[in-house]
Amino acid sequence: MTTEKLELDNMETLMDKPKKGSARDLNKYERIVQPSIAELVGTAFFVFIGCVSVIENVETAGRLQPALVHGLAAAVLIACVVEISGSHFNPPFTMAIYLCGGIKLFLAVPYVSCQLIGRVLGAAMAKVSPQYLSRAHGAAFTVLHSDEQVLQALYGEIAMTWLITMVVLLGAVNAKSKTPLVPFLVGSTIIINHILTCVPDVSSTCLNPARAMGPALMTGHWTYHWVYWVGPIVGSLGVLCSRTLLGDQKMRILWKKRII
């Protein structure tokens, strides 16, 4: 009995020790600087790849080529740095994850700053292409041309960002539904959003202000640019579904008591 008790105590002691690489073991560089750099690099390459897919897209491919490229690029980049920064690459995502308690404010601020810097770097990398200035403007691969299209585009941005925000929160933050398939889920959602956009032939869904602002800054094209900020920011309020209805007890702010 004494031997069994000693072994049990040793097991409990080992379980209490933080795992190597846990948050308590990380230094300041690994907790703040490295994740911020990962967000900058990830956002830069996502914008670069997205812009190039638009520039080189041919009319016969329609939405398919940019949709696949954006989705696959997101899946690869998310998988690469998800254990470093969480792979946000999108200011509204960072805002939604912060509101759900998935990230602290001291990280959210440098995350958003690095995402905005990354958007410029990515667009600058794409600008090397000679076709860039004439073919890549506001957001994805179709530019708004009139006031009549604004409400349709805005609705598309809000609805699709709402959907992908729920996918991110339920797949990566919510303990009850968290899954290692998040890169695949997010990438697939981006592909679906681009192919089945709510506003065909008006404006392809962007879902990411950083993705929109980089090309706009490089080209000086700001017409209706506000749509690609207001839409995703409002759409990120999909966080309300997780916080009030779909989240587990830790995330949910309502209905915490057992109802019997």
Side-chain angles (χ1 to χ4, degrees), residues 2-82:
T2 304
T3 304
E4 291 179 356
K5 184 177 180 181
L6 181 61
E7 290 177 352
L8 182 61
D9 291 339
N10 289 336
M11 289 178 63
E12 290 176 348
T13 303
L14 289 172
M15 291 174 67
D16 290 338
K17 289 182 179 179
K19 294 180 180 180
K20 185 177 180 181
S22 67
R24 282 178 285 182
D25 289 338
L26 301 179
N27 57 36
K28 188 174 182 179
Y29 172 79
E30 294 169 319
R31 285 186 291 110
I32 302 176
V33 180
Q34 189 181 57
S36 298
I37 293 174
E39 287 297 306
L40 187 153
V41 173
T43 304
F45 274 100
F46 180 69
V47 172
F48 167 65
I49 294 170
C51 288
V52 171
S53 74
V54 173
I55 296 166
E56 299 300 329
N57 188 36
V58 294
E59 292 183 3
T60 54
R63 301 184 186 91
L64 183 60
Q65 177 179 311
L68 289 173
V69 172
H70 279 83
L72 292 174
V76 170
L77 291 169
I78 290 170
C80 285
V81 299
V82 67

Side-chain angles (χ1 to χ4, degrees), residues 205-251:
T205 44
C206 182
L207 317 177
N208 187 338
R211 167 68 180 85
M213 193 169 183
L217 191 63
M218 288 294 106
T219 61
H221 186 92
W222 300 100
T223 306
Y224 302 113
H225 181 75
W226 62 270
V227 170
Y228 305 109
W229 279 86
V230 174
I233 289 174
V234 174
S236 68
L237 292 178
V239 66
L240 295 176
C241 288
S242 299
R243 290 289 275 170
T244 59
L245 299 173
L246 300 177
D248 56 21
Q249 285 202 1
K250 183 178 179 181
M251 181 184 291

